Amino acid sequence: MCYEVSYYAESYEKMLIEALTPEEAVLKAYGYTKSPYVLVYGHGDYRVIRSLNGLKVIRQREWVRAG
């Protein structure tokens, strides 16, 4: 499946990413852009964080509530 993602790098940019899930699309976008905040159109806002087990993808509503 192809996902349209948006991220901020000097200005807002968009790209299409081939992935099986929105979370996989976020990780691929992060690997390319190093921007931890990624919007997946039609699926919501995501954030990539580093944890002891590596990278973790969190939907925005989850980390806003936890903060």
Side-chain angles (χ1 to χ4, degrees):
M1 180 175 252
C2 200
Y3 292 94
E4 184 177 3
V5 300
S6 179
Y7 57 92
Y8 187 81
E10 304 291 325
S11 64
Y12 282 100
E13 305 285 337
K14 290 182 184 179
M15 69 167 51
L16 293 175
I17 295 182
E18 186 73 32
L20 296 176
T21 64
E23 291 81 5
E24 182 183 355
V26 170
L27 285 174
K28 286 184 176 183
Y30 176 78
Y32 178 73
T33 66
K34 300 303 182 212
S35 176
Y37 302 99
V38 178
L39 167 71
V40 180
Y41 287 95
H43 296 278
D45 295 330
Y46 291 84
R47 181 176 180 197
V48 177
I49 61 169
R50 293 190 182 274
S51 69
L52 294 175
N53 299 327
L55 296 176
K56 183 176 179 184
V57 176
I58 300 175
R59 287 200 60 173
Q60 182 178 357
R61 67 170 193 249
E62 294 172 2
W63 64 266
V64 168
R65 203 178 317 138

